Amino acid sequence: MARVLTPRAEDFPRWYQDLIAKAQLADNGPVRGTMVIRPAGYAIWERMQAEMDNRIKAAGAENAYFPLFIPENYLKREAEHVEGFSPELAVVTHGGGKPLAEPIVVRPTSETVIGEFMAKWVDSYRDLPLLLNQWANVVRWELRPRIFLRTSEFLWQEGHTAHADEADARAYARRILHEVYEDMMVNVLGIPVVVGRKTARERFAGATSTYTLEGMMGDGKALQLGTSHELGQNFAKAFDITYSAATGGMEHAWTTSWGTSTRMLGGLIMTHGDDNGLRVPPRLAPIQAYVMVVKAGDGVAEAAAKLRDALRDAGVRVALDERVDTPFGRRAVDAELKGYPVRVEVGPRDLAAGNAVVVRRTDGSKTPVPVADTVGAVLAALDADQQALHDEALALRQSRTVEVATLAEALEAAATGWARVPWSAVGVEGEAEANGQGVTVRCLVRADGSVPDSEDEPDLIAILARSY
Amino acid sequence: MARVLTPRAEDFPRWYQDLIAKAQLADNGPVRGTMVIRPAGYAIWERMQAEMDNRIKAAGAENAYFPLFIPENYLKREAEHVEGFSPELAVVTHGGGKPLAEPIVVRPTSETVIGEFMAKWVDSYRDLPLLLNQWANVVRWELRPRIFLRTSEFLWQEGHTAHADEADARAYARRILHEVYEDMMVNVLGIPVVVGRKTARERFAGATSTYTLEGMMGDGKALQLGTSHELGQNFAKAFDITYSAATGGMEHAWTTSWGTSTRMLGGLIMTHGDDNGLRVPPRLAPIQAYVMVVKAGDGVAEAAAKLRDALRDAGVRVALDERVDTPFGRRAVDAELKGYPVRVEVGPRDLAAGNAVVVRRTDGSKTPVPVADTVGAVLAALDADQQALHDEALALRQSRTVEVATLAEALEAAATGWARVPWSAVGVEGEAEANGQGVTVRCLVRADGSVPDSEDEPDLIAILARSY
C-alpha cells in the first residue's frame, strides 16, 4: 500500500499534522492560532461532549452560559489570576463603530465573571453547593499554536462550583477528577491516564490545589488532558461570594473549577493513531461500523443496506458507503485514516460464498464472516477493541516509564519517556532546573498511585517528562 | 394569590423582564448588552438545540466549527455584507500583549470565513452539495439590548451550504425553512408562525432571497424567529467558491445560509407566558412533570418517589421536589413561574384517599387522580396541552390580524396587531413610510399562504406589524 502519512518513527509532529489534514479533522483558521474543526473531527468532539455532559450532570452540576466578554477590571481582582493570564489576552477596544470607554477582554476562562454572579445568587448555606458547568469557546493568545493542542481559540467545558467549606469543595473537585474525568479518559477515550497533583509551580493561576490527568502520547511525551482545581477562598474573597451560615454569621464560600477541551482530540490522535491514520475507540466513535459496497454486483447493494439496518437495530452507530464510482482502495484508505473501528466489506465474490468481510481497524485483521453472523462479529470486535486500544496504550506507557533515583537520571529518561523519581530528589530547585531543559514535573503521586493532598507529604513520586 | 409579576396588560415589557428575573432564566451580563443564561433558561435552550440538531442532521447537514475571529478584510469582500454589519462589529486590536498588525472582528455571522473554506474544500460537482451547520456564539453590538431578543452576544446555529445550481440552493433553503424551522416552531415550540418572504429592504445583507418565520407575541407585535437565505453567487464570487462541472468548465457555486438563535427563548416567553409565569410546551419542556411532596407525612415521600420513578419509566422528563422545609406555596409559585407543564402534588390528605393531584399549568386545572392512574393522566395532559398552547396562540393571532385594503388602514391596525394588506397597496414607498412610523413589512405571502419566489409576483399579501 502506498504511504499515506509520514511514519510516526520518522517525524512524529509531521505525522500528526498529516493525519489531521488527510483525515479531514481540522484546518488552520485564517487568524493565526485559530482552527476550523471539520465535520469528521467535530463528530468526534460531539461524542466527547455527550459522554462528558452525561457524567457532569450525573455529578449534579447544571449547565449555564456566561458572556464571552469580560470587563478588563474583573481579571485584575485576583492577583495571581491576572498575572497568569495577562500575556494571553485578546482585547476588544472598539464596539459598534466606537472606541470603548473600558477595554473588554475575550474570556480566557470564566472564574471571574462566574464569581461575580455566584456572589449575586448565593445568600445562605441553603444555596450551597452551587454546581455550574458551561460549554464554551475561550481565547488564549498562542505564540506557538498546534491544532487541538494549543490554539488561540478552543472549545471546552468549564465547571465552577461554590461550597460551604473546604472539605466539601475538595471532595467535589476530586469527584469530578475521578468520577467524571478519569472515567471518561480511561473508559471512553481508552487513554490510561496518570492522575496526580500539580506542583505549586504548575498550578492554575489563583488555585490552591490543581489536580491533573496526564496521558503518554505515542512519542513518549506527556499531554495534560484535564484539570480540576480547588480555588480555596481566593475568588470568593475577590468577588465577595459570601453566605449566611447555618450557625449564623457571614462566611466566604470555597470554590472549585475544572475543565477539559478540544485538546482531548489531540490526545486521542497521539495516543491511538498509527501510520495508517486515526484509530477511534469504539465507545467514542461517531461511526462504529462502516459498511462498504466493494463494487457493484447482483444483490450487493441490497445486502449492504440490510447489514446497515441490522447493525443499526443492534444499537451500532453505522454508516453505509455505496460510492462504487470511487475506487475501493481509495475509500478503504480514507476509512483507515478516519479510524472507523470496524469496516464491513460487502462484495460480489464474498457474497456469492455467503460472506461479508469484517476488517478491524485496531489490528488490521480481515475475517470473512457468514452474513447472518456479521452483527455478532461486529459487536464482539467493538467490545474487544475498546479494551485492546487501552491496553496497547498502557503497555507503551509502562515500557517507556523508568523508575529512577536522581534528577540527572530523570532528565535523561525524559528524553524518550517518563521518569518516576522521588519528589524529595527533585524539589523546587530541581524543578526549575528541569524546566530549563524543557522537562516539567507533570504531577506528584503517592507510592500507591493515589492523589496527594499536598506537595509536602512524605514519599511522593514526581513524574517528569517532556510535554505538549 | 399574591401578585408575582407585573400583569401583561399593565406593562408587557416589564412583565417580560420580571418573568425572566423571577423564573431565573437569565441575567444581564456585566458588559452592556451581554447576558447570562441561568440553568433554568439554559435547560430549555439545550432542549431546543437537541430538537433542532436532530432535524438539521435529518436534512443532511453536518456540524463543524469555524473560528470566532475573522480578519477584518474578509467582511469587506462582499459589499452589501460589510455595509450591513459594519455598525455592529466588535473589534479586537490587541492580542498577547501587543497591538495587532491587522484588526480582527468577532464574528457577527460566518458567511465570510466559511466561504473561504468552502473554496478550499470544493473542487468538483461531486463535492456538492456541501451542507454545513455550526452551533456558536456571535456578536453584534446592540444599542438597545433586551435579553434573548437583542443581545450583543447570542447563541445560535448557522447553516451554510453550497450547491451546483440555483434550483438546488433554493430547494435546500426552502427545505430548511419548512422541514426544519417551521416543523420545530409549530410542533415543538407550539408557535403558529407565518412563513413568508422578506422584501428587498428587509433582506439579509448579501442575500438574494430571505425567507422568514414570524410569530405573534402576546402583545400583538411580531418576532422573527428564524431566517433562511439564498445568497445567489454573491459569496461564491467574493470568496471564489468554484467547481468543475460535470459538463466540464469551472462554475461558481450557489450558496445558502440559515439561522435560529436564543431569540427563540424570548419568543417562547412572549407567546406562551401568562401573568403567573412561563408556560413551556410539553414536547420542549426539560421538566415535563414536577412531582411535589406537599408536606411530610406517613408514606408521602415514598409515594412521591414511586410516582417519579413510574413517570420516568413511562418516558416522562420528571423532577422530584421534596423540600418540605420550604413552604409549599412558595414552591408552587416557583413551579408556575418556571412553567413546568404538569405538577403532581402528593400530600397526606389526598394520599389517605388514595389520590395525587394533577395540576395543569396550561389551564390551571387541579384534578385529584387515583395514584394508580396518575401516569396515564399525566401523559394525557402532556399530549393535550402541547396542542392547547399552540391553539391558544393561533386564536390570538387570528383575533389580532386584520385584513385591510390600504396602507393607512394597515398602519392603524399595526398599533395593536398585524395587518394583511395587498403588497401592491404598499410598495417600496409605502414600506419606507411605514418604517418611519415604526412599522415594518414582516413578510410577503401568497393568497394561499405559500411562500413567493419574488416580491414581483402578482396578488401578494404583505403582513405589516410592529416588531421586536
Side-chain angles (χ1 to χ4, degrees), chain A residues 12 15-16 19-20 25 44-45 48 146-150 185 189-193 213-219 221-226 261-273 278-281 284 393 396 468:
Chain A
F12 195 83
W15 163 84
Y16 179 76
L19 191 157
I20 287 172
L25 300 177
I44 299 173
W45 174 242
M48 287 179 175
R146 192 175 296 183
I147 289 186
F148 295 136
L149 301 175
R150 295 187 172 278
M185 303 300 168
L189 304 189
I191 303 179
V193 287
L213 303 101
E214 303 279 329
M216 181 186 280
M217 303 295 102
D219 60 353
K221 287 191 188 175
L223 181 73
Q224 176 182 304
L225 283 151
S261 74
T262 36
R263 171 173 261 219
M264 285 190 289
L265 284 161
L268 181 81
I269 296 167
M270 293 196 294
T271 301
H272 298 307
L278 185 56
R279 297 185 299 176
V280 187
L284 177 67
L396 177 86
Y468 286 95

Side-chain angles (χ1 to χ4, degrees), chain A residues 36-58:
Chain A
V36 173
I37 309 179
R38 301 183 67 173
Y42 200 82
I44 299 173
W45 174 242
E46 282 185 309
R47 286 279 312 132
M48 287 179 175
Q49 285 189 296
E51 293 278 350
M52 191 69 88
D53 198 62
N54 284 342
R55 285 167 176 75
I56 289 170
K57 284 174 175 153

Side-chain angles (χ1 to χ4, degrees), chain B residues 217-238:
Chain B
M217 303 295 101
D219 61 353
K221 287 191 189 175
L223 181 73
Q224 174 183 303
L225 283 151
T227 48
S228 183
H229 315 288
E230 290 178 52
L231 305 173
Q233 294 180 304
N234 293 344
F235 286 87
K237 286 179 176 164

Side-chain angles (χ1 to χ4, degrees), chain A residues 69-347:
Chain A
F69 289 153
I70 298 179
E72 197 175 39
N73 75 67
Y74 277 33
L75 267 289
K76 294 181 176 161
R77 291 195 211 165
E78 211 288 332
E80 289 181 48
H81 199 63
V82 65
E83 196 182 320
F85 283 105
S86 284
E88 302 179 1
L89 298 177
V91 185
V92 177
T93 54
H94 289 70
K98 289 180 188 161
L100 300 174
E102 190 199 3
I104 291 167
V105 301
V106 182
R107 65 181 162 217
T109 177
S110 302
E111 275 75 10
T112 60
V113 63
I114 294 181
E116 176 82 2
F117 283 87
M118 282 181 163
K120 291 186 194 192
W121 298 339
V122 171
D123 286 323
S124 107
Y125 69 94
R126 289 171 204 267
D127 300 320
L128 298 176
L130 176 58
L131 310 175
L132 299 172
N133 179 62
Q134 82 170 352
W135 290 94
N137 53 346
V138 287
V139 169
R140 301 178 187 177
W141 213 257
E142 273 296 342
L143 297 179
R144 294 176 300 123
R146 192 175 296 183
I147 289 186
F148 295 136
L149 301 175
R150 295 187 172 278
T151 48
S152 292
E153 179 193 9
F154 55 92
L155 305 183
W156 78 343
Q157 61 67 219
E158 51 178 322
H160 298 269
T161 69
H163 305 261
D165 58 46
E166 181 172 23
D168 199 54
R170 171 159 299 181
Y172 200 77
R174 298 283 192 113
R175 181 177 176 186
I176 293 295
L177 182 71
H178 294 293
E179 286 181 26
V180 176
Y181 291 168
E182 186 178 7
D183 181 58
M184 171 84 187
M185 303 300 168
V186 174
N187 296 315
V188 179
L189 304 189
I191 303 179
V193 287
V194 166
V195 185
R197 181 186 178 84
K198 288 285 185 194
T199 62
R201 188 183 181 99
E202 297 286 334
R203 272 204 303 256
F204 177 74
T208 57
S209 292
T210 290
Y211 307 109
T212 180
L213 303 101
E214 303 279 329
M216 181 186 280
M217 303 295 102
D219 60 353
K221 287 191 188 175
L223 181 73
Q224 176 182 304
L225 283 151
T227 48
S228 183
H229 315 287
E230 290 179 52
L231 305 173
Q233 293 180 306
N234 292 344
F235 286 86
K237 286 179 176 164
F239 288 88
D240 206 24
I241 311 171
T242 57
Y243 70 95
S244 58
T247 53
M250 297 301 287
E251 304 277 354
H252 280 105
W254 297 74
T255 66
T256 82
S257 70
W258 27 280
T260 55
S261 74
T262 36
R263 171 173 261 219
M264 285 190 289
L265 284 161
L268 181 81
I269 296 167
M270 293 196 294
T271 301
H272 298 307
D274 67 17
D275 288 347
N276 296 321
L278 185 56
R279 297 185 299 176
V280 187
R283 224 168 274 157
L284 177 67
I287 294 173
Q288 298 175 303
Y290 191 66
V291 179
M292 303 182 71
V293 176
V294 177
K295 61 179 180 180
D298 215 24
V300 175
E302 294 74 10
K306 266 176 104 167
L307 269 174
R308 186 258 324 261
D309 294 345
L311 286 162
R312 186 195 285 155
D313 292 347
V316 176
R317 294 186 288 275
V318 62
L320 175 62
D321 174 1
E322 40 190 351
R323 299 170 295 157
V324 289
D325 51 350
T326 303
F328 175 74
R330 217 163 91 189
R331 291 184 289 140
V333 165
D334 189 58
E336 300 244 296
L337 274 167
K338 295 220 166 87
Y340 308 135
V342 174
R343 296 205 305 272
V344 180
E345 301 179 352
V346 184

Side-chain angles (χ1 to χ4, degrees), chain B residues 145-219:
Chain B
R146 190 175 296 184
I147 288 185
F148 295 136
L149 301 175
R150 295 188 172 276
T151 47
S152 292
E153 179 193 9
F154 55 92
L155 305 183
W156 78 344
Q157 61 66 216
E158 51 179 321
H160 297 270
T161 69
H163 304 260
D165 58 46
E166 181 172 24
D168 198 56
R170 171 160 299 180
Y172 201 76
R174 297 282 193 112
R175 181 177 177 184
I176 293 295
L177 181 72
H178 294 293
E179 286 182 26
V180 177
Y181 291 168
E182 186 177 8
D183 180 59
M184 172 84 187
M185 303 299 169
V186 174
N187 295 316
V188 179
L189 304 189
I191 304 180
V193 287
V194 166
V195 185
R197 179 186 180 85
K198 288 285 185 192
T199 61
R201 191 184 178 99
E202 297 286 334
R203 274 205 302 257
F204 177 74
T208 56
S209 293
T210 290
Y211 306 108
T212 181
L213 303 101
E214 304 279 327
M216 182 186 279
M217 303 295 101
D219 61 353

